[in-house]
Amino acid sequence: CKQDKEIVKVAIQSWKYAFADASEELKHDKEFISEIIVLNANVFRDVSESLKIDKEFIVQLVQLHQEKRLPPTFLQYVN
């Protein structure tokens, strides 16, 4: 259940902190995170620590934010 992308995707739309319970594999999956973060910016709180410091990944997410595909609150999670 914690590894099933569709279940996690539905869960994060219902509960903003649901990604905390996702598998470690999903917390490292850049493509999946990029897809679901537009549904719930809180996802970023629980991505892997390595992704939180991955400059290329952060730039990609900031670009999504600039394209207005991420909620304004997203930037509060980026250090």
Side-chain angles (χ1 to χ4, degrees), residues 19-29 33 46-48 51:
F19 198 63
D21 294 327
S23 70
E24 287 303 311
E25 181 181 325
L26 290 183
K27 290 179 181 181
H28 284 85
D29 187 329
I33 292 166
D46 297 303
V47 301
S48 69
L51 287 183

Side-chain angles (χ1 to χ4, degrees), residues 19-20 22-30 33 42-58 61 77-79:
F19 198 63
S23 70
E24 287 303 311
E25 181 181 325
L26 290 183
K27 290 179 181 181
H28 284 85
D29 187 329
K30 289 181 184 182
I33 292 166
N42 290 302
V43 163
F44 191 79
R45 294 170 15 122
D46 297 303
V47 301
S48 69
E49 291 302 316
S50 61
L51 287 183
K52 287 180 180 178
I53 61 171
D54 181 326
K55 290 181 182 180
E56 183 180 300
F57 182 63
I58 299 301
L61 295 181
Y77 300 111
V78 180
N79 292 331

